[in-house]
Amino acid sequence: MKISARNQLAGTVAAVKEGAVNGVVTIKVGDHTIKSDITMEAIKDLGLIEGKKAIAIIKASNVLIAAGSERIDTISARNQFPGTVAKVEKGAVNGHVAIEIADGAKITASVTNEAIEDLGLVEGAAAVAIVKATDVLVAVD
């Protein structure tokens, strides 16, 4: 499978919480868990059960970045990955910032150059990649 989404994190389904219309799938990737809020139809079609291999897919434009090394407990986004800025590539208006998290995986965000400057996002700086569960797609082989 080839797709344009920069963030493709392979792991194993750790839990599935079923709801009437949507469910929350938790995928264990290294030392981290990623939560995805998807439809029950998708959960059943993909055969998502505990122990199944799955890939969390996140578009770079859906990744927010906070400066610093601490999770933010006062926002609704459940997926927060503290790490270190590994790479910054600026374009004419927007840039890409790759955050390396504890297990060596990287999460890339597409943000404005202004945000890169304002947050002091330079290689080696502490940062947190933040993703809402509704922005995480799930794929299986």
Side-chain angles (χ1 to χ4, degrees):
M1 167 181 65
K2 289 187 177 185
I3 59 173
S4 63
R6 292 187 178 271
N7 302 298
Q8 300 175 36
L9 304 165
T12 304
V13 175
V16 177
K17 183 175 181 180
E18 296 185 3
V21 177
N22 282 10
V24 176
V25 177
T26 303
I27 300 172
K28 180 107 170 115
V29 177
D31 295 332
H32 300 279
T33 57
I34 300 174
K35 293 187 183 286
S36 175
D37 183 341
I38 60 176
T39 65
M40 287 305 301
E41 181 179 3
I43 289 170
K44 292 191 186 326
D45 287 348
L46 295 172
L48 296 174
I49 58 170
E50 195 171 319
K52 183 169 182 121
K53 299 281 187 207
I55 303 167
I57 300 170
I58 308 162
K59 289 180 57 175
S61 58
N62 291 348
V63 178
L64 304 175
I65 297 181
S69 60
E70 300 297 319
R71 291 178 51 90
I72 302 167
D73 294 330
T74 55
I75 62 173
S76 63
R78 298 295 90 193
N79 298 308
Q80 298 187 37
F81 309 97
T84 304
V85 175
K87 185 176 182 182
V88 177
E89 288 182 85
K90 287 186 177 178
V93 177
N94 293 328
H96 288 132
V97 177
I99 308 294
E100 185 171 334
I101 59 178
D103 58 1
K106 289 187 178 123
I107 298 176
T108 299
S110 177
V111 297
T112 64
N113 290 339
E114 182 179 359
I116 291 170
E117 293 296 324
D118 289 349
L119 295 173
L121 299 175
V122 297
E123 288 184 24
V128 180
I130 302 168
V131 183
K132 291 181 62 163
T134 52
D135 289 332
V136 178
L137 303 176
V138 178
V140 296
D141 285 330

